[in-house]
Structure formats: C-alpha cells, structure tokens
C-alpha cells in the first residue's frame, strides 16, 4: 500500500500542505483540484522526480511505475511505433503488442508518423499507449483525457478498467464520467 504522510512541498509558495492518504494496491484513484493545486507536483514526487520538503511516501519499494506526463513527452524524431518500442529492452520488445495498443487508441494509421504531425489528442493517446506498453504496478497518468473528445475519453476509461484489478492508476483528471475507487482532492 502506498502511503503519504504529512507530505509537504513548497516552491515560492506552499503547494502541498500536509497531505496524508493511503492508496489501495489496485484500482483507480483520481487526483482532483483546480489548476495549480499540486496534482502534477504530487505525481512527480510519486515518480521520484521531485523531493518533498516534509513528510514521507512509503510503499513504493519494488513497484514498477509507469508515467504518462501531462505534456506527452514523445520523442519528436521517432515514429509513434518506435516511441513505444523504445521503452522496453530489445529482448522484451513485442511489436504486435505495441501495434495492438496503438490500434486500441485509434492510432494505427499514425504508427509510422512522427509526433510533430499529430494532433494534441493523438499525442496524448500515444503517451498513454506507451505507458501501457511499458507496463507497471502503478500508472501515474497526468490529465490523460485532456484534449480528448467524448469517444476517446471512453477509450481511456476502458483502458483503465481492463487493468484496474491488477494495477493502481493514480490519475489527475476532470473527467466527471470516470468511475474511481477513491479521490484525493488537493
Ligand atoms: P496542477 O498540476 O494541479 O495544475 P502543479 O503541481 O503543476 O499543479 O503546480 C502547483 C504549483 O506549483 C503551481 O503554482 C506551480 O506554478 C508551482 N510549481 C510547480 N512546479 C514548479 C517548479 N518546478 N518551480 C516553481 N514552481 C513550481
Ligand atoms: Mg498539472
């Protein structure tokens, strides 16, 4: 179980103020709160990219973490398919699985295109496909439904639903239709 205890983080002003929360091992937990409330900061702390000023995070040891960043972060000089294949060791590469994930996210037509030619929504879905292809025990998805229309938001919910009995999704989102197992409001 991942636990936050009195977690705090300030930049030029306090962002996380003594946040305590217990995440289940599986399921979907939504991070809520207005823009600037610290959702991305918390996800970055969970990903080990940022250090809290105070408090603790426990329960992450031995867990494989997969991140889909708010801004996608696809490598611009590689095709979508190669962006996926890159995140696994050569020995564990599975082209079919990568293509299946791109197909699931309605990106098969773009497999051989570079991110620069894609729409914001397509890039966002590609980043989610890459995160799923990487795999993990904990998926940290930052605003995965931003820039997506209703149909594509359904896809994102479906992707989480398929895996939620085996993995934990910590998702910052404003999607009112996402059924979650709990919420943490910042
Ligand atoms: P959210 O994701 O909820 O919109 P963020 O976690 O991105 O919020 O940001 C929370 C606050 O922390 C904002 O005021 C933001 O400007 C500030 N902040 C985030 N990262 C940094 C940073 N690296 N340096 C300075 N301020 C930051
Ligand atoms: Mg954010």
């Amino acid at each position: 179980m991942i636990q936050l205890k009195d977690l705090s983080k300030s930049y030029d002003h306090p962002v996380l103020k003594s946040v305590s929360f217990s995440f289940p091992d599986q399921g979907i937990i939504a991070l809520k709160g207005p823009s600037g409330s610290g959702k991305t900061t918390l996800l970055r702390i969970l990903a080990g990219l940022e250090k809290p000023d105070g408090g603790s995070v426990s329960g992450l040891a031995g867990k494989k973490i997969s991140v889909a960043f708010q801004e996608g972060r696809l490598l611009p000089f590689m095709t979508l398919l190669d962006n996926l294949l890159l995140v696994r060791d050569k020995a564990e590469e599975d082209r079919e699985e990568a293509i299946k994930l791109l197909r699931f996210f309605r990106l098969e037509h773009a497999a051989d295109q570079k991110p620069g030619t894609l729409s914001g929504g397509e890039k966002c879905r590609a980043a989610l496909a890459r995160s799923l292809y990487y795999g993990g025990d904990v998926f940290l998805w930052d605003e995965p439904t931003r820039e997506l229309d209703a149909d594509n938001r359904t896809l994102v919910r479906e992707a989480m639903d398929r895996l939620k009995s085996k993995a934990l999704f910590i998702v910052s989102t404003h999607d009112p239709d996402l059924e979650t197992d709990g919420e943490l409001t910042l």
Side-chain angles (χ1 to χ4, degrees):
M1 187 169 56
I2 299 170
Q3 278 191 307
L4 313 178
K5 228 171 151 190
D6 298 326
L7 203 66
S8 63
K9 177 77 186 174
S10 302
Y11 295 104
D12 51 357
H13 61 286
V15 176
L16 301 175
K17 287 160 263 175
S18 197
V19 177
S20 295
F21 194 78
S22 299
F23 293 94
D25 285 327
Q26 288 94 24
I28 303 172
I29 300 294
L31 291 185
K32 301 254 164 142
S35 180
S37 60
K39 303 180 294 297
T40 296
T41 301
L42 177 56
L43 289 170
R44 287 175 57 80
I45 289 173
L46 287 166
L49 297 169
E50 201 82 63
K51 285 219 179 322
D53 301 329
S56 63
V57 180
S58 60
L60 282 172
K63 288 201 154 75
K64 181 175 173 180
I65 293 182
S66 179
V67 182
F69 292 97
Q70 193 162 351
E71 66 284 1
R73 301 222 189 149
L74 300 165
L75 294 179
F77 48 84
M78 283 183 144
T79 66
L80 278 201
L81 181 57
D82 285 339
N83 261 280
L84 265 66
L85 296 177
L86 180 73
V87 300
R88 282 201 194 164
D89 292 340
K90 265 274 180 265
E92 288 180 16
E93 208 175 272
D94 187 337
R95 260 184 115 75
E96 276 312 303
E97 192 188 336
I99 290 168
K100 235 163 102 181
L101 280 164
L102 289 175
R103 196 179 302 134
F104 176 83
F105 282 106
R106 299 180 181 151
L107 291 167
E108 208 189 359
H109 64 282
D112 296 324
Q113 289 178 35
K114 291 180 182 157
T117 63
L118 304 179
S119 73
E122 286 173 324
K123 280 189 264 202
C124 171
R125 273 142 50 215
L128 300 177
R130 183 176 61 180
S131 166
L132 290 174
Y133 179 70
Y134 180 65
D137 308 302
V138 183
F139 291 87
L140 306 176
W141 283 4
D142 202 355
E143 312 263 6
T145 53
R146 73 187 181 280
E147 298 190 67
L148 297 187
D149 58 22
D151 266 8
N152 283 313
R153 283 204 299 272
T154 305
L155 273 187
V156 175
R157 290 196 295 272
E158 214 179 297
M160 287 192 265
D161 279 339
R162 283 181 181 192
L163 270 175
K164 70 180 182 189
S165 61
K166 294 189 215 126
L168 173 64
F169 288 85
I170 305 178
V171 189
S172 71
T173 180
H174 302 282
D175 182 358
D177 297 324
L178 176 66
E179 278 182 34
T180 67
D181 301 290
E183 285 184 14
L184 168 55
T185 301
L186 297 174

